[in-house]
Amino acid sequence: MTKQQTNNPLILSTWSFAPVGADAAMPLLLAGGEALDAAIGAVTVIEDDPTIHSVGVGGLPDAEGRVSLDACVMENPDRCGAVCNVQRHPNPAAIARRVMDTTIHITLAGDEADDFATREGFVERALLTPDAQREWQTWRHDPSNINREKYQGWLPPMNVEEMDSKVGAPGGVFAGDGPDGSHDTVGVLVLDTHGKIAGACSTSGMAFKVPGRVGDSPIIGQGLYVDQTAGAACATGTGELISGVCGSFLVVELMRRGASPLEAIRETLQRIIDRFTLVQDHQVAMLAMTPTGDWASCAIRPGFHHTVTTSEGSKVEDPHGVMLPE
Ligand code: GLY
């Protein structure tokens, strides 16, 4: 576990792609800005980066080639918002905040979430980049993918000529959603100079998912949970595993009962290991922070890195623990 100096702002993020967002958000905190603004600011930069294939613009699409985005933001049980299956707007975390600020609801989903965003002045944008479309084509061309049991029976027949005519021959190899070299949900936890904590979580979800699938990321208590009286946690990795144990809520509740951030994550990941039959590409990693900024990260498998950002800049580091190192 790592201790934070009082009043020093801190941004913790999942994955090594996070410095681009966290470095942009840190000046806001150093100027006395609020944790939630910084969390959403960091995530928004990452959502706008088309080279990150798991969040926002450039995210890998579902099995039918459509990109859909999920996100949530949170300060407290009575201060949270979420959107699921957004297909026309690049910044779901900011839309989630607008849901929180301007409606009596917590979560909006699907076309209606996009309609809400348009009414609120968010600009529509195509989310599928040529790179992501090529990755999808490669996946659709590979019989070992499309013949997998989970896709049989509903995946529409592939019209290879039509796909090729859109973007040319498939190229490039997607590394997969596995533990090595993967990029996944961005989860950000922030402590501001006023001693307030907040978080944001954003994803394009599992690559080539069944259309309509929603993972853990936009669900309060699964991909993210924050309570000023107990702490904050966020998750990345295979959403179904995180959802099944309400991962982020569990971590925060364990901290409320006295566990350290690392103990709380370890117990939560052990629950996943005990209650699921894990396969090789299953991975979950989590970050946790106390209300005073003590924090830790831990993953089920090797390959995960977190980014820690202070007034001195960002560092990409190994997690404090790995549950299944081999
Ligand atoms: N953790 C992201 C997802 O499964 O959608």
Side-chain angles (χ1 to χ4, degrees):
M1 187 171 81
T2 303
K3 290 221 174 280
Q4 178 68 2
Q5 301 278 313
T6 316
N7 290 334
N8 281 352
L10 174 68
I11 304 175
L12 302 179
S13 316
T14 54
W15 298 108
S16 54
F17 57 63
V20 64
D23 288 342
M26 181 50 76
L28 179 76
L29 291 177
L30 293 171
E34 295 220 344
L36 187 64
D37 292 326
I40 295 170
V43 163
T44 298
V45 172
I46 292 164
E47 289 169 341
D48 284 338
D49 186 334
T51 68
I52 298 169
H53 288 310
S54 51
V55 181
V57 173
L60 292 174
D62 65 21
E64 292 180 348
R66 288 189 297 259
V67 179
S68 58
L69 306 180
D70 304 325
C72 71
V73 301
M74 189 164 192
E75 281 183 340
N76 251 330
D78 63 350
R79 285 275 296 163
C80 54
V83 288
C84 311
N85 207 357
V86 166
Q87 298 194 17
R88 290 184 265 129
H89 294 86
N91 300 123
I95 302 170
R97 197 230 173 106
R98 196 67 66 88
V99 173
M100 176 182 91
D101 283 342
T102 68
T103 78
I104 57 169
H105 308 300
I106 291 178
T107 308
L108 297 183
D111 245 5
E112 289 79 2
D114 275 304
D115 291 345
F116 167 83
T118 302
R119 276 199 309 277
E120 287 291 314
F122 289 88
V123 175
E124 296 193 9
R125 181 173 168 188
L127 304 179
L128 183 65
T129 60
D131 272 358
Q133 190 166 1
R134 272 190 290 274
E135 300 288 1
W136 171 68
Q137 270 193 302
T138 302
W139 178 84
R140 283 297 303 262
H141 276 275
D142 183 345
S144 68
N145 287 324
I146 61 170
N147 289 336
R148 277 191 300 197
E149 195 183 325
K150 64 182 173 180
Y151 290 106
Q152 278 181 354
W154 67 266
L155 193 63
M158 174 176 51
N159 182 339
V160 177
E161 289 73 26
E162 189 186 353
M163 285 200 301
D164 284 352
S165 72
K166 284 184 187 156
V167 291
V173 177
F174 173 54
D177 206 22
D180 289 315
S182 64
H183 299 292
D184 201 284
T185 305
V186 62
V188 173
L189 305 180
V190 177
L191 171 70
D192 67 25
T193 56
H194 313 288
K196 200 165 175 185
I197 56 175
C201 185
S202 182
T203 190
S204 51
M206 187 183 287
F208 320 126
K209 61 197 172 189
V210 174
R213 178 259 189 194
V214 172
D216 61 302
S217 303
I219 308 299
I220 299 299
Q222 297 185 7
L224 175 71
Y225 197 71
V226 184
D227 184 330
Q228 303 297 318
T229 66
C234 65
T236 184
T238 315
E240 284 69 13
L241 305 180
I242 302 159
S243 297
V245 301
C246 292
S248 294
F249 180 75
L250 181 55
V251 168
V252 171
E253 291 310 300
L254 290 166
M255 291 195 293
R256 191 192 299 281
R257 281 158 175 70
S260 71
L262 186 56
E263 289 168 344
I265 300 176
R266 278 189 175 282
E267 185 167 341
T268 300
L269 297 182
Q270 190 61 51
R271 181 85 54 91
I272 291 172
I273 292 165
D274 291 344
R275 301 303 297 271
F276 285 87
T277 304
L278 297 188
V279 299
Q280 195 51 42
D281 69 354
H282 278 156
Q283 165 72 309
V284 175
M286 301 191 74
L287 307 178
M289 183 194 277
T290 68
T292 53
D294 296 339
W295 64 276
S297 81
C298 188
I300 289 184
R301 298 187 193 282
F304 172 71
H305 295 93
H306 62 250
T307 296
V308 53
T309 308
T310 65
S311 56
E312 309 202 328
S314 284
K315 279 193 244 165
V316 174
E317 298 178 338
D318 289 333
H320 299 107
V322 176
M323 303 293 290
L324 303 174
E326 296 305 320

